[in-house]
Amino acid sequence: MKEKERLIVTGLVALMLILWLGFPLHRSPRFAGSLWGGVFGVVGSLLMIVPLLYLFIKRIKRLKKKVLKWVSMRTLLSWHIYAGVLGPILVVIHSGHKYESTLGVVLTAMTLLVVVSGFVGRYLMNRFSQEIREKKKILSKLEAAYEQTATVLASEPERAQMLQPFSGFFGRILAGLFVHESNVEPIGTQSSQAVDPSTVLHLSESIADIEYAIKTHTTFKAWFGKWLKFHIWISFVLYGLMALHVWGAIHFGIRWFDPWKTSTSYYAHSTVQGVEAAAPLAAPPNEEQSAAAVDSFSRHFGQLFRKYWHEPIAIHGIRTTAFDYKGIANEVGQPGSDFFKARLALEQVAPDRLGGGNAEKTFWINAYNFGAMKLAAENYPVASITDSKISDGNPWGIRGVRVGTEQYALHQIENEILLKKFDDPRIVFAVSCAAVSCPDRTGDIFSADQLDRQLDDIVRGLLANTTKGLAIDRQLKTVTLSWIIKTDRRLFGDGGDNDLLNFVLRYAPSDVRDWIDANRSDIKIKYFEHDWGLNDTALADEKN
Amino acid sequence: MAAKTKKKKWTASRILLSASPLFLVVLWMVTPNDSAFKQSATWQQMTEPGKLSAAHASLEDDCAACHTSVKGIETSSCIACHANNQSLLQRQPTSFHAGISSCIECHREHRGFDQRPTNMDHEALAKIGLRQLKSDALDSENNALREEIIARTRGYAPPHSRITTAETTLKCATCHANDDRHFKLFGQDCAQCHATDRWTIPEYRHPSATSMDCAQCHQAPPSHYMMHFKMISARVAGKPHARVDQCFQCHQTTSWNDILGAGWYKHH
């Protein structure tokens, strides 16, 4: 039975070693990642886990007790052996058509090493022990024969005398050449018991040989004595590498397992106008997909915003929060960046399925701000979005930001969508042209559930900024207001100074409010010059 | 025998073993933050199945540029950079890219720095198309079209062994119409004779060299219908009375320029 097992396993190990050498004969870089390659790999790896059972059952006493009721240790060991050889064979078939990645090469080498170490331990080690046992048996027989001969020889001193000259080191080596059986005639009556001195020599030589052989084998045995530890250690390294490999395969995407493979031609098609696509158009995203895209846009734009936002600095003498546009510009061409992902997400939104209310309002305000930032970042370095590099004076008219399948202009988002759908003057403060004179921002983009508070804060923040929002001169009795309020005055009640002041009073700091209230009748309203300079940290005034 | 006291000997290997975590921590601390050892890309590259092509070499350190975790290569990752390629999309043979939903079938990567990541695979194209018809089909029209195509190809043996059933569902003329040397005389079903890997047809045998029906397929060049024919061509060949439609009088099947009696002759 055992002989048979050894024969089969030896054959299998040899097969595995040969399979590995198949690489020069058949190369297929894509086999390992194909469906069949995957089947070999997965089944092989699962089989390679089976040997662990034996390891644990053997070492955990309670488990061993339970398991032994059902299966014998011997059966478990043979499972260990067969699974431990068949698994690697499948795995080598999986990997053996290409050796390119470091992990792959190391993993295959470790697999072979673990199997070979197991094989050596199980079968060759066994051989050594057996050999030693047999040799020892022969040795004891020889020693008995020697004892007997020596006793006989001791009673015949003349014969013993013949060995005298060969007691030295070199003499002993040469003794076999000079002491011959026929040298001395048997003497006396005890001839029947007579012993030839050369027999003693032969015996002692044989003993020496065998002792030497046993010693060598014992050394080998001791040397291999650590094989089990070695086998276990390297197999754990192997399992570690295997885990990494499985992680890598799943993380980077398994080619044959792709339930996400859906058509994206909808986007590809609509990037170019005037080209008739061969294939029919895909349906536009449904409500759910669109909502997911809005979420994704908010997440990535939010991260982008926070990453490059900078607390208030002075640019052209105006205090303003700023952004690191250089950083944003770096993300423009970088797949996988937040800018990129935000841009892509926007293209997957269905503009007619935003659901109205604060959710839609928030989305369009954020989309506007992203669009403005995009104009600056894509053309960076620019001093302003009114830069001639971007447009000949009207950056709001450029259809620069794509939502769903359509390109939108900033003007269009602000006037045709936001202000038309939502009666809220605070919108004009929230949509920012990336300019120094625009309202200051916190590090967060707008979110639907906090929109009202955020909009109030942004107006309040602007009117608290005396360099661009609201400044009063108590002597001259003038109130200097943001240019934004002047431009969009039609939004504040009937657009007269009175309604305008009413709006300002709602958000102005309390001391200013009190003063305006007290002097309302003879106040003169002036406006700040609007500074279109980019609110870029790189443009900060020199610090003194 | 006295009970053995379990006192471990401090052998060199044991000391080394127990000190190894400390060693790793120290190693981690002393390496500078920007060293390759600390870059996730270095470790991720251990699993790299081959170098990227020259065009994508800049992405070598950025697996995530193309690989979405678990999902693998998403078409949107490709489109992120490759959208709006006007010249590609407006050129007839390549305009099919506008409607295609998948890139990796033909544009395989990790095959080495000097390998262009482009392999036109008509079989893959056909499969993408069928898949697209299925997944795009919110309206029943697409689905009906797909069903019809599949029904038509089911149990349908391809016209010759160098083309697959899936490939026969493609409409060659969508991309190749500008280049029909048969002037549409053979119809538009190129796959009846042609394969997708080359235009030439290995099985094709020219009719006998003594055949006289050349005009069935061949047409003389414009100069043969002008004075040039009588003044030069016929005279050079030594056949002053040859008619334009009697190609065989002067030409041989090795090449049009191999003139009977005059040898290799190229006037211009």
Side-chain angles (χ1 to χ4, degrees):
Chain A
M1 180 66 200
K2 216 183 141 188
E3 215 32 57
K4 202 172 149 196
E5 178 198 279
R6 169 153 67 199
L7 205 68
I8 295 173
V9 174
T10 310
L12 288 176
V13 171
L15 174 67
M16 180 189 76
L17 293 174
I18 289 168
L19 277 178
W20 168 74
L21 290 169
F23 166 63
L25 298 179
H26 183 246
R27 291 189 190 190
S28 167
R30 282 169 72 82
F31 178 75
S34 68
L35 176 62
W36 278 109
V39 168
F40 278 111
V42 171
V43 175
S45 321
L46 289 177
L47 276 175
M48 276 165 71
I49 291 175
V50 172
L52 270 179
L53 281 180
Y54 178 75
L55 179 83
F56 287 127
I57 292 172
K58 196 177 162 190
R59 279 166 184 75
I60 301 172
K61 270 188 189 150
R62 250 196 233 160
L63 190 64
K64 189 172 176 180
K65 223 180 204 175
K66 267 186 197 165
V67 173
L68 282 188
K69 279 182 205 159
W70 309 100
V71 230
S72 72
M73 241 18 229
R74 226 191 133 76
T75 320
L76 278 174
L77 179 61
S78 59
W79 287 0
H80 177 96
I81 292 170
Y82 284 117
V85 180
L86 287 173
I89 286 178
L90 297 183
V91 160
V92 171
I93 292 176
H94 160 83
S95 68
H97 304 264
K98 171 196 190 182
Y99 292 101
E100 189 75 47
S101 73
T102 319
L103 184 61
V105 173
V106 175
L107 194 53
T108 311
M110 282 308 282
T111 308
L112 299 182
L113 190 60
V114 169
V115 174
V116 169
S117 79
F119 179 75
V120 166
R122 170 76 180 147
Y123 300 107
L124 298 192
M125 285 292 307
N126 215 297
R127 268 281 152 99
F128 283 128
S129 312
Q130 203 180 328
E131 202 100 323
I132 291 171
R133 234 175 292 130
E134 280 167 11
K135 291 258 162 70
K136 278 195 171 151
K137 229 180 256 169
I138 300 172
L139 183 67
S140 60
K141 270 186 204 158
L142 281 174
E143 275 171 346
Y146 179 84
E147 281 300 314
Q148 201 192 345
T149 323
T151 335
V152 174
L153 200 59
S155 62
E156 293 177 44
E158 311 92 334
R159 290 185 183 224
Q161 207 60 48
M162 285 172 54
L163 295 173
Q164 207 60 47
F166 304 108
S167 58
F169 178 74
F170 291 105
R172 214 173 289 164
I173 295 173
L174 300 170
L177 300 174
F178 298 104
V179 183
H180 295 294
E181 287 163 43
S182 53
N183 257 7
V184 179
E185 291 291 308
I187 300 168
T189 52
Q190 293 169 311
S191 56
S192 61
Q193 278 188 15
V195 178
D196 198 314
S198 63
T199 318
V200 185
L201 274 180
H202 287 315
L203 280 174
S204 63
E205 273 170 4
S206 305
I207 289 172
D209 278 351
I210 298 232
E211 274 179 343
Y212 183 73
I214 290 176
K215 211 174 146 192
T216 323
H217 278 94
T218 318
T219 318
F220 269 120
K221 198 184 165 186
W223 202 64
F224 276 115
K226 284 168 185 148
W227 79 271
L228 186 61
K229 246 187 201 169
F230 177 70
H231 182 63
I232 293 175
W233 265 104
I234 58 171
S235 57
F236 275 100
V237 173
L238 173 66
Y239 286 124
L241 292 174
M242 203 162 97
L244 283 179
H245 174 67
V246 171
W247 167 81
I250 293 173
H251 176 67
F252 292 116
I254 293 172
R255 210 188 323 136
W256 45 266
F257 180 70
D258 195 357
W260 304 277
K261 184 162 268 169
T262 46
S263 164
T264 43
S265 63
Y266 169 66
Y267 315 110
H269 171 79
S270 43
T271 50
V272 172
Q273 285 122 26
V275 174
E276 265 308 303
L281 261 181
N286 61 31
E287 217 137 301
E288 208 174 296
Q289 290 164 328
S290 178
V294 171
D295 279 349
S296 166
F297 165 68
S298 314
R299 192 168 61 250
H300 292 296
F301 180 43
Q303 283 167 9
L304 181 82
F305 201 86
R306 208 165 307 126
K307 224 182 317 178
Y308 297 108
W309 180 83
H310 194 280
E311 52 202 28
I313 51 172
I315 300 176
H316 308 158
I318 296 168
R319 251 183 101 64
T320 179
T321 51
F323 294 90
D324 173 12
Y325 282 96
K326 195 175 175 195
I328 302 172
N330 276 340
E331 289 203 6
V332 170
Q334 209 180 96
S337 68
D338 283 319
F339 182 92
F340 228 103
K341 285 183 176 160
R343 204 196 81 198
L344 283 186
L346 268 189
E347 297 176 5
Q348 293 166 37
V349 171
D352 53 342
R353 292 182 186 177
L354 288 166
N358 269 3
E360 180 161 2
K361 195 163 152 190
T362 310
F363 171 78
W364 284 115
I365 294 175
N366 284 334
Y368 182 103
N369 289 336
F370 179 72
M373 205 176 246
K374 184 167 175 270
L375 282 180
E378 286 179 343
N379 297 287
Y380 196 79
V382 286
S384 156
I385 67 161
T386 57
D387 200 294
S388 62
K389 212 164 145 188
I390 298 176
S391 72
D392 41 14
N394 184 14
W396 303 274
I398 295 176
R399 294 179 180 266
V401 56
R402 194 170 129 196
V403 180
T405 56
E406 288 229 18
Q407 297 278 349
Y408 286 84
L410 297 181
H411 168 83
Q412 190 182 2
I413 295 178
E414 182 179 359
N415 294 298
E416 287 171 27
I417 298 172
L418 279 167
L419 293 177
K420 199 176 257 181
K421 282 194 178 175
F422 306 100
D423 180 22
D424 185 348
R426 295 173 301 175
I427 288 171
V428 294
F429 299 95
V431 295
S432 165
C433 297
V436 170
S437 282
C438 287
D440 293 332
R441 298 293 305 264
T442 62
D444 293 313
I445 61 164
F446 294 99
S447 69
D449 49 345
Q450 299 182 43
L451 185 66
D452 273 310
R453 187 185 59 71
Q454 284 177 313
L455 288 175
D456 280 344
D457 283 351
I458 209 161
V459 182
R460 220 170 269 140
L462 178 68
L463 296 185
N465 188 325
T466 53
T467 56
K468 62 181 175 186
L470 168 62
I472 52 173
D473 190 322
R474 291 172 203 253
Q475 241 108 60
L476 296 174
K477 299 217 166 150
T478 54
V479 175
T480 313
L481 292 174
S482 163
W483 173 86
I484 298 171
I485 298 177
K486 178 172 97 177
T487 309
D488 292 310
R489 62 187 308 146
R490 65 194 155 87
L491 298 172
F492 309 105
D494 60 9
D497 282 0
N498 203 31
D499 281 336
L500 220 142
L501 274 181
N502 281 339
F503 179 82
V504 168
L505 281 174
R506 215 178 309 149
Y507 295 101
S510 57
D511 57 323
V512 176
R513 194 162 52 207
D514 294 345
W515 182 82
I516 294 178
D517 252 346
N519 301 284
R520 193 154 182 165
S521 48
D522 36 48
I523 278 177
K524 240 183 95 187
I525 298 179
K526 294 206 301 186
Y527 297 97
F528 284 106
E529 282 274 315
H530 199 74
D531 186 327
W532 288 108
L534 194 65
N535 52 1
D536 184 357
T537 50
L539 299 175
D541 297 342
E542 291 281 322
K543 274 177 199 157
N544 294 317
Chain B
M1 234 179 18
K4 274 185 193 167
T5 46
K6 271 199 173 175
K7 196 172 178 185
K8 283 181 181 172
K9 269 191 208 160
W10 282 100
T11 56
S13 63
R14 187 159 286 148
I15 291 171
L16 273 178
L17 204 68
S18 27
S20 59
L22 187 71
F23 173 72
L24 285 178
V25 171
V26 171
L27 188 70
W28 187 260
M29 278 160 61
V30 293
T31 41
N33 272 332
D34 55 347
S35 70
F37 181 65
K38 281 194 182 174
Q39 306 303 314
S40 60
T42 311
W43 297 98
Q44 290 192 355
Q45 269 173 23
M46 294 279 173
T47 63
E48 194 186 21
K51 287 280 168 224
L52 289 174
S53 64
H56 286 147
S58 61
L59 297 173
E60 200 79 69
D61 285 343
D62 188 8
C63 309
C66 306
H67 290 270
T68 310
S69 186
V70 182
K71 294 184 179 180
I73 306 293
E74 289 185 297
T75 305
S76 55
S77 308
C78 309
I79 294 173
C81 292
H82 294 281
N84 274 331
N85 186 338
Q86 298 278 357
S87 66
L88 179 93
L89 296 174
Q90 286 173 353
R91 210 169 64 90
Q92 192 219 1
T94 51
S95 67
F96 71 89
H97 283 95
I100 203 119
S101 62
S102 193
C103 311
I104 51 172
E105 275 86 347
C106 297
H107 299 285
R108 292 173 187 167
E109 259 299 355
H110 290 295
R111 301 188 307 162
F113 184 79
D114 51 358
Q115 289 289 316
R116 224 178 123 236
T118 294
N119 268 65
M120 182 62 214
D121 183 346
H122 287 81
E123 170 100 7
L125 183 65
K127 284 184 175 159
I128 293 169
L130 289 173
R131 198 171 61 216
Q132 212 159 300
L133 279 174
K134 188 184 180 186
S135 61
D136 285 357
L138 284 184
D139 55 63
S140 55
E141 199 183 320
N142 283 340
N143 210 25
L145 179 62
R146 179 173 168 275
E147 291 304 317
E148 195 201 315
I149 291 173
I150 290 175
R152 224 174 45 201
T153 52
R154 190 171 288 140
Y156 169 83
H160 52 85
S161 62
R162 288 172 298 110
I163 203 155
T164 66
T165 305
E167 283 172 333
T168 59
T169 64
L170 293 171
K171 193 174 165 198
C172 313
T174 311
C175 298
H176 300 289
N178 280 343
D179 203 24
D180 183 8
R181 297 169 125 197
H182 310 309
F183 306 103
K184 295 188 178 155
L185 291 171
F186 287 166
Q188 289 207 327
D189 195 0
C190 319
Q192 283 296 328
C193 306
H194 293 283
T196 53
D197 58 340
R198 76 199 78 179
W199 280 108
T200 53
I201 300 169
E203 295 92 338
Y204 178 75
R205 292 287 172 269
H206 192 273
S208 163
T210 59
S211 158
M212 291 191 262
D213 280 339
C214 317
Q216 287 258 341
C217 300
H218 300 290
Q219 200 181 14
S223 68
H224 270 33
Y225 297 99
M226 299 175 190
M227 287 300 282
H228 188 275
F229 181 73
K230 275 268 177 265
M231 287 169 70
I232 312 279
S233 308
R235 197 169 293 171
V236 165
K239 295 279 168 62
H241 306 298
R243 290 201 317 267
V244 176
D245 60 351
Q246 292 174 316
C247 316
F248 57 88
Q249 289 270 9
C250 312
H251 295 282
Q252 301 186 87
T253 54
T254 34
S255 160
W256 285 106
N257 290 325
D258 189 6
I259 309 297
L260 195 66
W264 192 266
Y265 182 84
K266 198 157 166 76
H267 185 66
H268 295 288

